Amino acid sequence: MNYRHAFHAGNHADVLKHLVLCRLFALLARKDAPYAYLDSHAGVGLYDLQGDQASRTGEWREGIGRLWEATDAPEPLLDYLEVIRAMNPDGVLRHYPGSPELARLQTREQDRLHLNEKHPDDGQALKENMAGDRRVAVHLGEGWHLPRALLPTREKRAVMLIDPPFEKADELERCVTALNEAIGRMRQTIVVVWYPIKDERQLKRFYRDMEKSAAPKLLRAELFVHPADDAGRLNGSGLLISNPPWGLEEELRALLPWLAERLAQSQGSWRLDWLIAEQQP
């Protein structure tokens, strides 16, 4: 348990993950019915980009730092940027929301949040950061147990983020298992699986396993800041999204080209396709 997300907060992978979460929350809000948000590896929820850990890597400068003052951002990106600008009212980029804080700010009074963080120090910090919001429950258990522990929810709709640290060799396989468990317990769950892209060859088995998963439909969205030809660096990241709401694919087709150009470090590119296409009746 050595991984601490503060070193990587606000980097290009966070940008992709968090803006997609914001779009999911916005699209789900088109209906009044409540939904539950579940976060398996939540982190602390709030990050200081000028703090010791984030300053050591400076990864945020090549991520949210490039978007902070963008004047030509596509419309679907604006909710995400508005959250961050509201957290930094003096105009200096310092505070950055992790997925728990984004969810807390973007969900509604009738929605409910379950945030899990196994790391003892980060879990305690998460509790402190979420204190006072009665909609939020913080859990300090094993993130991989979340589908079995909390699904199905009393709400008829649910979004579950699976975002492990990828410290262990079997975590891609465990993502497949967790998605299958979530869909098996609550078929309509929107499961969002984040994964790093270092060497695409290592991901081929992961894609094959996901194609055989229980997801009724599964959208793949990937953002590259380098070509995927060097396994020693983070070339990009991806999201697999089960049961994406109507409208998300169209929005991502507008967002990803702009992001690939804006966030490229050597050569930017993107991919958006269906690993499991929706079955027509």
Side-chain angles (χ1 to χ4, degrees):
M1 294 175 57
N2 297 317
Y3 179 87
R4 308 298 291 276
H5 189 70
F7 290 103
H8 313 289
N11 69 3
H12 60 85
D14 261 6
V15 168
L16 175 65
K17 174 174 55 183
H18 292 152
L19 73 87
V20 169
L21 281 178
C22 279
R23 295 318 306 151
L24 286 172
F25 299 145
L27 292 170
L28 287 172
R30 294 180 302 184
K31 296 182 179 180
D32 291 336
Y35 62 89
Y37 172 74
L38 292 74
D39 199 325
S40 66
H41 300 77
V44 303
L46 289 165
Y47 298 97
D48 182 355
L49 299 180
Q50 297 180 26
D52 177 61
Q53 293 173 324
S55 295
R56 286 193 218 177
T57 63
E59 290 184 18
W60 64 270
R61 298 182 186 279
E62 303 300 319
I64 186 58
R66 293 193 182 187
L67 308 186
W68 170 242
E69 296 182 345
T71 58
D72 60 339
E75 193 276 336
L77 192 62
L78 297 182
D79 285 352
Y80 166 68
L81 291 177
E82 286 171 5
V83 168
I84 299 166
R85 288 168 180 158
M87 294 178 65
N88 297 275
D90 61 356
V92 178
L93 179 56
R94 175 167 187 167
H95 303 290
Y96 185 81
S99 51
E101 181 67 2
L102 271 177
R104 193 181 71 80
L105 293 173
Q106 294 288 286
T107 51
R108 305 159 303 173
E109 180 65 24
Q110 66 266 41
D111 303 321
R112 200 161 50 109
L113 288 70
H114 289 280
L115 311 175
N116 185 84
E117 176 51 52
K118 184 179 180 181
H119 193 290
D121 294 338
D122 286 359
Q124 186 56 44
L126 179 63
K127 277 195 167 188
E128 293 170 2
N129 287 333
M130 297 294 118
D133 193 327
R134 62 177 183 79
R135 303 173 306 129
V136 180
V138 175
H139 308 273
L140 306 179
E142 174 55 71
W144 298 113
H145 296 165
L146 223 61
R148 283 168 279 165
L150 297 177
L151 292 174
T153 61
R154 68 174 184 239
E155 295 83 5
K156 300 301 183 184
R157 303 189 295 168
V159 178
M160 181 174 186
L161 175 63
I162 300 172
D163 176 25
F166 290 98
E167 290 181 310
K168 298 179 180 178
D170 67 344
E171 288 188 300
L172 285 173
E173 290 84 354
R174 298 190 81 169
C175 285
V176 179
T177 299
L179 180 141
N180 280 328
E181 289 176 346
I183 296 298
R185 296 183 67 85
M186 190 173 173
R187 185 171 175 80
Q188 68 270 32
T189 305
I190 299 171
V191 182
V192 181
V193 179
W194 178 90
Y195 54 94
I197 299 174
K198 294 187 176 181
D199 185 345
E200 278 201 295
R201 293 170 296 181
Q202 296 177 354
L203 290 172
K204 285 185 177 179
R205 180 178 176 181
F206 175 60
Y207 296 145
R208 289 196 300 267
D209 289 344
M210 281 295 190
E211 286 174 344
K212 300 173 184 176
S213 73
K217 51 183 176 177
L218 193 62
L219 183 65
R220 172 171 58 183
E222 295 182 340
L223 178 67
F224 298 82
V225 299
H226 298 290
D229 58 5
D230 184 348
R233 67 187 177 196
L234 183 63
N235 299 304
S237 66
L239 296 168
L240 292 178
I241 308 162
S242 74
N243 299 312
W246 184 85
L248 182 65
E249 180 185 10
E250 181 181 356
E251 290 188 348
L252 290 178
R253 289 203 182 276
L255 281 168
L256 288 171
W258 187 88
L259 288 170
E261 180 179 355
R262 186 60 59 99
L263 297 181
Q265 295 179 22
S266 62
Q267 179 180 330
S269 60
W270 59 280
R271 172 161 60 182
L272 184 67
D273 59 4
W274 292 90
L275 283 189
I276 302 175
E278 184 172 16
Q279 296 299 311
Q280 299 298 322

